[in-house]
Each structure stands twice: as C-alpha cells, then as structure tokens.
Amino acid sequence: MNKVLLIPAYNPEEKIIEVIKGLPKGVFDQVLIVNDGSNPKYLEIFNQLSMIRDVSILEHEMNQGKGAALKTGFSYILKNTKNCLGVVTADADGQHLKKDILAIADCLKPEQRELTIGSRTFDSDVPLRSHFGNKLTRIIMKFVFKIDLKDTQSGLRAIPYSLLPQLLKISFNRYEFEIEMLLAAKKNGYRFKEIEIDTIYENNNIASSFNPVIDSARIYF
C-alpha cells in the first residue's frame, strides 16, 4: 500500500533537497511539497525539488499557514491517491533527518489506528523559546485534555489514511492546527505513539517561521 511524504514549505532551507534525494526508493510512492506562498527568491529550490523523481509541488499563491498547507496536501491525497496506507509529515526547515523520516514511515501499518509522533529531546542545546513552549503545551495537553506526550509540537508525524477526513474538518490554518490534530485523533479513537528523534536546531533555529508570541497565543487560544 502507498505511503506519502507531505512537506509544507514556506521559504524552505536548501537542505531539504538533499534530504529528499537521499530517501531510498520504494519507501514513499509520492512526495508532496506544498509551496505555501514562499518568497520568489526560493523558486529555484522548488524547481530543483520538482525535478526529483516522484516529487509533486502544490502551490498557494499567498502564505496561508502551516495548517492550511497540510490540509491542501491531505485533500490532494484523498482525491488522487489509491490504496494509501498513510501520510508522513515533515518540516522543510532542516530539522528532520532522513533516518528519522524513515523510522516514522515504518510505523505506518495496515488497519492501524495510531498517530505516531517523532519526539524530540529537549536538552540544553534547544533554543529557549522551543523548550519553554513545548513544556507549557505539554502540561496543558496532559492536565486539560488527558493527552500525555513528550513532544506535542513536532511536525514529524505518521498519520493513518483513515484519519485524514477528520483532519480536514479542523478550522485552524496555522501552527495551532497540529495541536488540534491531536485532539481530533483522540476524539476519533486513535492511540498515540512516540519515537525519539534527533533534535536539530541550526543557527538557533532562525529558519523557522514560528513566531513565539503570535503563534503561541493562537495555539493556547
């Protein structure tokens, strides 16, 4: 059965090209990259990605947010992909290593009702805004929603195909979408699984488009 790699991309790091090129054949039947209204200066990166075998680029004319980009990909998969086992989502900012993407992909199994999350280790090398934000969100999710995860905000996830229609019902379109995904999964009877992955923050994670004030406020609201 098919597995799809979905990457929402807003001003992506060039590193993503080598990650995609380095994926072994046969793991993913398709790689979908959603250009979420990136600056035109990043066009060459998307051009190079489009030349890689089994890679398709979807376009947003204007930036709509990570959640919107994920939903565009989910909708495309539901309409165009037959016999799909599930979707692996990854970020385009260089945080996710090839080996971790492959480990998460391996968690997709037939008839599975389990959402797998690549859980980062938050040690002393992690930027303060990332460490604090994840810790606070983890506390809220555990005590308010009874979801106990080490990493609630990781973008590296393995999502069963059967869950995709429910995720399209989420109204939020930015980073808060990934928190709502957890709530939707629990509501629909899906279990959670975490796999430890390497934590990569290059240059203090300046490539991330996450705004620690505005986006955190959206998430907690």
Side-chain angles (χ1 to χ4, degrees), residues 185-218:
K186 182 181 179 182
K187 180 180 178 181
N188 287 277
Y190 287 79
R191 300 180 301 276
F192 298 102
K193 177 181 179 180
E194 287 186 282
I195 291 182
E196 187 172 303
I197 63 173
D198 287 342
T199 308
I200 308 296
Y201 288 105
E202 296 182 349
N203 299 319
N204 205 36
N205 204 26
I206 60 174
S208 174
S209 58
F210 184 85
N211 184 303
V213 177
I214 297 175
D215 289 313
S216 292
R218 287 195 180 105

Side-chain angles (χ1 to χ4, degrees), residues 122-127 131:
F122 290 86
D123 54 27
S124 59
D125 294 327
V126 175
H131 193 289

